mmCIF file of all heavy atoms in Angstrom:
data_model
loop_
_atom_site.group_PDB
_atom_site.id
_atom_site.type_symbol
_atom_site.label_atom_id
_atom_site.label_comp_id
_atom_site.label_asym_id
_atom_site.label_seq_id
_atom_site.Cartn_x
_atom_site.Cartn_y
_atom_site.Cartn_z
ATOM 1 N N GLU B 5 67.660 -42.301 114.835
ATOM 2 C CA GLU B 5 67.784 -43.710 115.186
ATOM 3 C C GLU B 5 66.421 -44.339 115.398
ATOM 4 O O GLU B 5 65.561 -43.781 116.092
ATOM 5 C CB GLU B 5 68.605 -43.859 116.466
ATOM 6 C CG GLU B 5 70.013 -43.279 116.395
ATOM 7 C CD GLU B 5 70.954 -44.149 115.587
ATOM 8 O OE1 GLU B 5 70.622 -45.332 115.357
ATOM 9 O OE2 GLU B 5 72.010 -43.651 115.171
ATOM 10 N N GLN B 6 66.267 -45.512 114.817
ATOM 11 C CA GLN B 6 65.054 -46.307 115.015
ATOM 12 C C GLN B 6 65.449 -47.747 115.299
ATOM 13 O O GLN B 6 66.449 -48.233 114.759
ATOM 14 C CB GLN B 6 64.176 -46.302 113.759
ATOM 15 C CG GLN B 6 63.551 -44.998 113.396
ATOM 16 C CD GLN B 6 62.667 -45.163 112.168
ATOM 17 O OE1 GLN B 6 63.020 -44.752 111.071
ATOM 18 N NE2 GLN B 6 61.485 -45.759 112.376
ATOM 19 N N ASN B 7 64.652 -48.429 116.106
ATOM 20 C CA ASN B 7 64.825 -49.852 116.296
ATOM 21 C C ASN B 7 64.371 -50.544 115.008
ATOM 22 O O ASN B 7 63.244 -50.355 114.575
ATOM 23 C CB ASN B 7 63.977 -50.324 117.480
ATOM 24 C CG ASN B 7 64.268 -51.758 117.836
ATOM 25 O OD1 ASN B 7 64.645 -52.553 116.983
ATOM 26 N ND2 ASN B 7 64.072 -52.100 119.094
ATOM 27 N N SER B 8 65.278 -51.320 114.421
ATOM 28 C CA SER B 8 64.965 -51.894 113.105
ATOM 29 C C SER B 8 63.906 -52.980 113.160
ATOM 30 O O SER B 8 63.296 -53.327 112.140
ATOM 31 C CB SER B 8 66.228 -52.441 112.451
ATOM 32 O OG SER B 8 66.775 -53.475 113.253
ATOM 33 N N GLY B 9 63.686 -53.526 114.378
ATOM 34 C CA GLY B 9 62.703 -54.597 114.506
ATOM 35 C C GLY B 9 63.287 -55.917 114.050
ATOM 36 O O GLY B 9 64.492 -56.135 114.144
ATOM 37 N N PRO B 10 62.444 -56.845 113.574
ATOM 38 C CA PRO B 10 61.032 -56.640 113.332
ATOM 39 C C PRO B 10 60.210 -56.584 114.601
ATOM 40 O O PRO B 10 60.557 -57.201 115.593
ATOM 41 C CB PRO B 10 60.655 -57.830 112.468
ATOM 42 C CG PRO B 10 61.628 -58.896 112.858
ATOM 43 C CD PRO B 10 62.897 -58.185 113.189
ATOM 44 N N LEU B 11 59.128 -55.807 114.533
ATOM 45 C CA LEU B 11 58.188 -55.687 115.620
ATOM 46 C C LEU B 11 56.914 -56.401 115.196
ATOM 47 O O LEU B 11 56.370 -56.114 114.128
ATOM 48 C CB LEU B 11 57.897 -54.205 115.896
ATOM 49 C CG LEU B 11 56.794 -53.881 116.900
ATOM 50 C CD1 LEU B 11 57.205 -54.338 118.291
ATOM 51 C CD2 LEU B 11 56.488 -52.375 116.886
ATOM 52 N N SER B 12 56.475 -57.327 116.018
ATOM 53 C CA SER B 12 55.253 -58.065 115.713
ATOM 54 C C SER B 12 54.210 -57.786 116.776
ATOM 55 O O SER B 12 54.527 -57.825 117.975
ATOM 56 C CB SER B 12 55.526 -59.574 115.656
ATOM 57 O OG SER B 12 56.377 -59.895 114.590
ATOM 58 N N VAL B 13 52.986 -57.492 116.354
ATOM 59 C CA VAL B 13 51.879 -57.286 117.281
ATOM 60 C C VAL B 13 50.665 -58.041 116.754
ATOM 61 O O VAL B 13 50.537 -58.245 115.544
ATOM 62 C CB VAL B 13 51.526 -55.791 117.452
ATOM 63 C CG1 VAL B 13 52.714 -55.024 118.008
ATOM 64 C CG2 VAL B 13 51.039 -55.186 116.157
ATOM 65 N N PRO B 14 49.792 -58.484 117.627
ATOM 66 C CA PRO B 14 48.580 -59.157 117.161
ATOM 67 C C PRO B 14 47.570 -58.145 116.634
ATOM 68 O O PRO B 14 47.566 -56.973 117.025
ATOM 69 C CB PRO B 14 48.059 -59.860 118.417
ATOM 70 C CG PRO B 14 48.595 -59.054 119.552
ATOM 71 C CD PRO B 14 49.913 -58.505 119.105
ATOM 72 N N GLU B 15 46.739 -58.599 115.760
ATOM 73 C CA GLU B 15 45.685 -57.745 115.212
ATOM 74 C C GLU B 15 44.832 -57.174 116.337
ATOM 75 O O GLU B 15 44.474 -57.875 117.287
ATOM 76 C CB GLU B 15 44.808 -58.560 114.263
ATOM 77 C CG GLU B 15 43.733 -57.762 113.558
ATOM 78 C CD GLU B 15 42.983 -58.599 112.529
ATOM 79 O OE1 GLU B 15 43.355 -59.770 112.302
ATOM 80 O OE2 GLU B 15 42.020 -58.072 111.929
ATOM 81 N N GLY B 16 44.559 -55.864 116.239
ATOM 82 C CA GLY B 16 43.753 -55.189 117.243
ATOM 83 C C GLY B 16 44.557 -54.554 118.360
ATOM 84 O O GLY B 16 44.023 -53.748 119.133
ATOM 85 N N ALA B 17 45.816 -54.884 118.454
ATOM 86 C CA ALA B 17 46.674 -54.322 119.514
ATOM 87 C C ALA B 17 47.186 -52.945 119.116
ATOM 88 O O ALA B 17 46.989 -52.473 117.994
ATOM 89 C CB ALA B 17 47.846 -55.270 119.779
ATOM 90 N N ILE B 18 47.856 -52.298 120.071
ATOM 91 C CA ILE B 18 48.517 -51.018 119.798
ATOM 92 C C ILE B 18 49.976 -51.281 119.443
ATOM 93 O O ILE B 18 50.697 -51.949 120.183
ATOM 94 C CB ILE B 18 48.450 -50.082 121.020
ATOM 95 C CG1 ILE B 18 46.998 -49.727 121.338
ATOM 96 C CG2 ILE B 18 49.273 -48.822 120.767
ATOM 97 C CD1 ILE B 18 46.838 -48.896 122.611
ATOM 98 N N ALA B 19 50.397 -50.755 118.308
ATOM 99 C CA ALA B 19 51.801 -50.843 117.905
ATOM 100 C C ALA B 19 52.479 -49.522 118.272
ATOM 101 O O ALA B 19 51.943 -48.446 118.000
ATOM 102 C CB ALA B 19 51.923 -51.103 116.414
ATOM 103 N N SER B 20 53.635 -49.615 118.904
ATOM 104 C CA SER B 20 54.379 -48.432 119.330
ATOM 105 C C SER B 20 55.739 -48.410 118.646
ATOM 106 O O SER B 20 56.538 -49.328 118.795
ATOM 107 C CB SER B 20 54.553 -48.444 120.851
ATOM 108 O OG SER B 20 55.320 -47.323 121.266
ATOM 109 N N LEU B 21 55.977 -47.354 117.884
ATOM 110 C CA LEU B 21 57.212 -47.212 117.121
ATOM 111 C C LEU B 21 57.956 -45.984 117.636
ATOM 112 O O LEU B 21 57.366 -44.928 117.835
ATOM 113 C CB LEU B 21 56.892 -47.048 115.636
ATOM 114 C CG LEU B 21 56.044 -48.188 115.050
ATOM 115 C CD1 LEU B 21 55.335 -47.747 113.801
ATOM 116 C CD2 LEU B 21 56.922 -49.385 114.766
ATOM 117 N N ASN B 22 59.251 -46.134 117.846
ATOM 118 C CA ASN B 22 60.022 -45.089 118.491
ATOM 119 C C ASN B 22 61.160 -44.583 117.614
ATOM 120 O O ASN B 22 61.704 -45.319 116.784
ATOM 121 C CB ASN B 22 60.586 -45.610 119.802
ATOM 122 C CG ASN B 22 59.496 -46.141 120.711
ATOM 123 O OD1 ASN B 22 58.454 -45.520 120.858
ATOM 124 N ND2 ASN B 22 59.726 -47.309 121.288
ATOM 125 N N CYS B 23 61.555 -43.354 117.886
ATOM 126 C CA CYS B 23 62.602 -42.706 117.090
ATOM 127 C C CYS B 23 63.300 -41.675 117.976
ATOM 128 O O CYS B 23 62.633 -40.920 118.689
ATOM 129 C CB CYS B 23 61.943 -42.040 115.883
ATOM 130 S SG CYS B 23 63.017 -41.025 114.857
ATOM 131 N N THR B 24 64.614 -41.661 117.956
ATOM 132 C CA THR B 24 65.362 -40.607 118.640
ATOM 133 C C THR B 24 66.219 -39.874 117.629
ATOM 134 O O THR B 24 66.585 -40.423 116.584
ATOM 135 C CB THR B 24 66.264 -41.180 119.749
ATOM 136 O OG1 THR B 24 67.178 -42.116 119.167
ATOM 137 C CG2 THR B 24 65.450 -41.868 120.829
ATOM 138 N N TYR B 25 66.535 -38.618 117.928
ATOM 139 C CA TYR B 25 67.322 -37.808 117.012
ATOM 140 C C TYR B 25 68.374 -37.040 117.780
ATOM 141 O O TYR B 25 68.231 -36.786 118.975
ATOM 142 C CB TYR B 25 66.410 -36.868 116.200
ATOM 143 C CG TYR B 25 65.599 -35.924 117.047
ATOM 144 C CD1 TYR B 25 66.040 -34.632 117.316
ATOM 145 C CD2 TYR B 25 64.373 -36.311 117.577
ATOM 146 C CE1 TYR B 25 65.296 -33.759 118.090
ATOM 147 C CE2 TYR B 25 63.616 -35.448 118.346
ATOM 148 C CZ TYR B 25 64.085 -34.183 118.613
ATOM 149 O OH TYR B 25 63.333 -33.321 119.372
ATOM 150 N N SER B 26 69.431 -36.663 117.087
ATOM 151 C CA SER B 26 70.572 -36.082 117.788
ATOM 152 C C SER B 26 70.620 -34.560 117.735
ATOM 153 O O SER B 26 71.230 -33.938 118.607
ATOM 154 C CB SER B 26 71.869 -36.651 117.209
ATOM 155 O OG SER B 26 72.000 -36.299 115.838
ATOM 156 N N ASP B 27 70.002 -33.943 116.720
ATOM 157 C CA ASP B 27 70.102 -32.498 116.548
ATOM 158 C C ASP B 27 69.028 -31.782 117.350
ATOM 159 O O ASP B 27 67.849 -31.828 117.001
ATOM 160 C CB ASP B 27 69.978 -32.153 115.062
ATOM 161 C CG ASP B 27 70.119 -30.662 114.799
ATOM 162 O OD1 ASP B 27 70.476 -29.909 115.742
ATOM 163 O OD2 ASP B 27 69.868 -30.241 113.668
ATOM 164 N N ARG B 28 69.435 -31.070 118.399
ATOM 165 C CA ARG B 28 68.463 -30.374 119.243
ATOM 166 C C ARG B 28 67.733 -29.260 118.511
ATOM 167 O O ARG B 28 66.669 -28.834 118.932
ATOM 168 C CB ARG B 28 69.176 -29.768 120.463
ATOM 169 C CG ARG B 28 69.500 -30.772 121.535
ATOM 170 C CD ARG B 28 69.789 -30.096 122.876
ATOM 171 N NE ARG B 28 69.880 -31.103 123.927
ATOM 172 C CZ ARG B 28 68.829 -31.557 124.584
ATOM 173 N NH1 ARG B 28 67.628 -31.093 124.327
ATOM 174 N NH2 ARG B 28 68.980 -32.471 125.523
ATOM 175 N N GLY B 29 68.308 -28.808 117.416
ATOM 176 C CA GLY B 29 67.679 -27.743 116.643
ATOM 177 C C GLY B 29 66.662 -28.228 115.627
ATOM 178 O O GLY B 29 66.144 -27.438 114.838
#
Side-chain angles (χ1 to χ4, degrees):
Chain B
E5 301 285 343
Q6 293 182 255
N7 188 331
S8 61
L11 173 66
S12 295
V13 299
E15 184 175 355
I18 297 175
S20 178
L21 304 158
N22 304 316
C23 174
T24 59
Y25 59 95
S26 62
D27 182 9
R28 282 198 171 274

